[in-house]
Amino acid sequence: FVPASTRDNATALVTTMEQIDLVHKMCDKYPETFELALSTGDIERIVKAGKIASLIGMEGGHSIENSLQNLNRLYDRGARYMTLTHSKTLDWADSATDEAKNNGLTDFGKEVVAEMNRLGMLIDISHVSEKVMNDVLDISEAPVIFSHSSAKSICDHPRNVSDAILRRLPENGGVVMINFMSGYVVPTDELKREPNARGNYKMVADHIEHVIKVAGIDYVGIGSDFDGVPSTPVGLDDVADYPNLTQELLERGYNEEQIHKVLGANVMRVFKAAEASSKRLNVTAAK
């Protein structure tokens, strides 16, 4: 994670490159545990070998410093997904938690989306304004992800996803990966009564179910955000608690195939679709 504030002193790109270098060094130092994954084929092979497939992503388009060349440089270093904005509005895209200055995506922002499609880089529209979400869904050639967002109709926070956007997901094929942060999960009325309420893992299941009811079982996943939030629901303190969520979904009547989709298969489908779209776009461009 590279703070959006690095944009102010023009250190976003270099800081991102340094963090990517650390991922490479970690994989080199502990090859028996970690391996860098650059494709879905890599993920499947690495997991089959009993190791952790490590993917590189960028949380915020400030990392490219308004340059498609930099986007390509970061892809070449291993980045395979990018959140278009983080907490601050950029010159080319509006953030959900900052003043909107661009009415969604600018022309350059649309070029970023097109280039990410061409590269096969996953477009992450967590953190962006709803207008940006709609703009991306209008133009993206590949399915998108919300890497860590929840359902706005349950918890009315600008970081969450409205039903209007959820209804558009099946056409795009994208996935909303539910964020575990208490402030994005606990129902609105309860947060009004107790702003510091933690909630519990059953509330996360409520968000998963809501996305399923509005969009479908193929369009929801897990986005935890364990490394970036101050509070998570009771029963989801870390990855060791995932069985609580799995058991809850079983008790709600979901079968093994459906739960497998939620826990990772849906995201793999999106990644594979982005790879296929990239191949198609590059073949078309070569003609």
Side-chain angles (χ1 to χ4, degrees):
F1 167 66
V2 175
S5 58
T6 55
R7 178 187 57 165
D8 299 332
N9 57 7
T11 60
L13 176 63
V14 67
T15 306
T16 303
M17 294 291 278
E18 288 171 351
Q19 291 198 2
I20 289 176
D21 286 345
L22 286 173
V23 175
H24 283 271
K25 289 176 181 177
M26 180 184 70
C27 291
D28 290 343
K29 187 171 183 179
Y30 303 104
E32 72 286 353
T33 304
F34 302 103
E35 186 174 340
L36 185 66
L38 301 176
S39 67
T40 53
D42 284 347
I43 295 170
E44 291 167 344
R45 173 182 55 78
I46 293 165
V47 171
K48 189 175 181 179
K51 297 192 289 186
I52 296 172
S54 299
L55 286 94
I56 296 173
M58 299 173 287
E59 192 173 15
H62 54 279
S63 289
I64 70 171
E65 294 186 352
N66 295 343
S67 165
L68 294 182
Q69 183 179 9
N70 287 339
L71 178 65
N72 276 263
R73 290 172 67 188
L74 291 162
Y75 178 87
D76 289 343
R77 285 296 290 152
R80 290 298 179 267
Y81 60 99
M82 182 174 76
T83 323
L84 295 189
T85 73
H86 189 240
S87 57
K88 298 296 182 182
T89 288
L90 304 179
D91 294 334
W92 48 272
D94 294 327
S95 170
T97 52
D98 194 12
E99 179 184 356
K101 300 177 182 178
N102 304 295
N103 189 31
L105 284 176
T106 66
D107 288 343
F108 178 74
K110 293 173 183 178
E111 290 181 34
V112 171
V113 169
E115 185 64 3
M116 291 177 73
N117 283 163
R118 187 191 70 80
L119 290 169
M121 183 182 286
L122 291 175
I123 298 168
D124 177 11
I125 48 177
S126 283
H127 279 290
V128 305
S129 70
E130 184 148 336
K131 182 61 166 65
V132 171
M133 294 177 193
N134 276 304
D135 287 350
V136 172
L137 292 173
D138 285 343
I139 65 174
S140 179
E141 298 278 351
V144 302
I145 61 171
F146 293 80
S147 65
H148 54 308
S149 295
S150 301
K152 194 170 186 177
S153 71
I154 296 176
C155 179
D156 188 11
H157 191 287
R159 274 280 286 104
N160 286 340
V161 186
S162 71
D163 284 0
I165 296 295
L166 291 179
R167 285 191 286 268
R168 296 196 64 183
L169 269 188
E171 182 180 359
N172 169 267
V175 173
V176 175
M177 303 166 70
I178 302 301
N179 194 321
F180 294 175
M181 179 173 167
S182 298
Y184 302 157
V185 169
V186 176
T188 303
D189 289 343
E190 187 170 337
L191 283 175
K192 287 179 179 178
R193 293 192 301 270
E194 178 48 65
N196 295 319
R198 283 188 64 188
N200 59 61
Y201 67 92
K202 294 178 184 290
M203 292 176 180
V204 172
D206 291 341
H207 283 261
I208 292 171
E209 275 208 301
H210 184 81
V211 176
I212 292 170
K213 288 174 181 176
V214 177
I217 189 66
D218 295 316
Y219 310 106
V220 65
I222 302 297
S224 72
D225 206 13
F226 280 132
D227 64 339
V229 299
S231 173
T232 58
V234 174
L236 281 174
D237 292 309
D238 54 40
V239 294
D241 286 335
Y242 275 153
N244 292 337
L245 193 54
T246 302
Q247 183 62 37
E248 180 65 19
L249 293 174
L250 284 168
E251 290 176 2
R252 294 188 186 202
Y254 294 96
N255 61 37
E256 183 176 346
E257 180 186 2
Q258 292 171 320
I259 295 171
H260 181 66
K261 287 183 176 183
V262 174
L263 296 181
N266 285 339
V267 176
M268 284 292 285
R269 172 187 57 77
V270 168
F271 197 174
K272 287 180 178 179
E275 292 173 335
S277 179
S278 171
K279 290 180 181 178
R280 184 178 67 252
L281 290 169
N282 282 294
V283 167
T284 301
K287 290 182 179 179

